[in-house]
Amino acid sequence: MKYVTPDLCDAYPEIKVVEPGFANFGGIDSFGGEIVTVKCFEDNSVVKEQVGLPGEGRVMVVDGGGSKRAALLGDMLAEKAAENGWAGIIIYGCIRDVDVIRQTNLGVQALGTHPRKTDKKGIGELNVPVTFGGVTFLPGQYLYADNNGIVVSEVPLTQPE
């Protein structure tokens, strides 16, 4: 399904809009689905665990604290997420291996890129409220993203004609 966030905003004025600052890096530039949240800081252990599980068309929203000192997602994790049926991943932080991720069948948006990987200390939280970009993301809400931005809804939305 292709989502057009300006059309969603017009049709659903109550929708929450994430503040600008994210760039589209994935092979799919329009994606949406039910939210799963991860809260971590410079440790992508929980992200690695989650991409190994069935995504079932969901979107992982990762609050990396906005860190620009290491990448929370690389090509191997992105490929595993795509293989396991995740619709997309939003990273409030950085990713790496962008040339490969652009070829991956996955929606990926992040603040930027960084060549260094994170440490894996097993630190992070799953399915907790996370807040960034002026929006609080809750597990079970729905996220839609394209090259225009990211929007969040309490309920699943239908793309207007």
Side-chain angles (χ1 to χ4, degrees):
M1 169 63 91
K2 183 146 179 91
Y3 297 101
V4 180
T5 58
D7 292 347
L8 291 172
C9 286
D10 292 350
Y12 305 97
E14 72 283 358
I15 202 167
K16 299 176 204 164
V17 179
V18 178
E19 294 169 354
F22 289 82
N24 218 335
F25 294 101
I28 297 175
D29 62 5
S30 170
F31 59 96
E34 186 177 348
I35 293 173
V36 171
T37 64
V38 173
K39 186 175 181 80
C40 57
F41 186 75
E42 298 179 2
D43 180 341
N44 69 348
S45 300
V46 177
V47 174
K48 182 178 181 182
E49 290 169 7
Q50 289 304 299
V51 300
L53 300 174
E56 300 170 340
R58 294 176 294 171
V59 176
M60 190 182 316
V61 176
V62 181
D63 180 356
S67 173
K68 294 185 178 176
R69 298 189 302 197
L72 291 171
L73 181 75
D75 60 343
M76 292 188 299
L77 295 186
E79 288 172 357
K80 184 163 287 288
E83 289 168 10
N84 285 326
W86 289 88
I89 302 176
I90 303 291
I91 304 275
Y92 184 56
C94 290
I95 68 167
R96 67 187 204 159
D97 304 316
V98 295
D99 295 330
V100 176
I101 290 175
R102 284 189 205 285
Q103 306 299 316
T104 304
N105 192 30
L106 181 71
V108 177
Q109 290 201 18
L111 296 179
T113 62
H114 197 290
R116 185 181 314 275
K117 66 181 181 178
T118 68
D119 292 329
K120 292 194 182 38
K121 299 176 183 173
I123 300 170
E125 298 174 84
L126 177 65
N127 283 330
V128 297
V130 298
T131 303
F132 58 83
V135 172
T136 297
F137 302 82
L138 301 172
Q141 290 179 325
Y142 292 82
L143 181 145
Y144 304 92
D146 66 4
N147 286 322
N148 296 291
I150 303 168
V151 298
V152 177
S153 172
E154 299 294 325
V155 296
L157 302 179
T158 303
Q159 176 64 43
E161 298 281 326

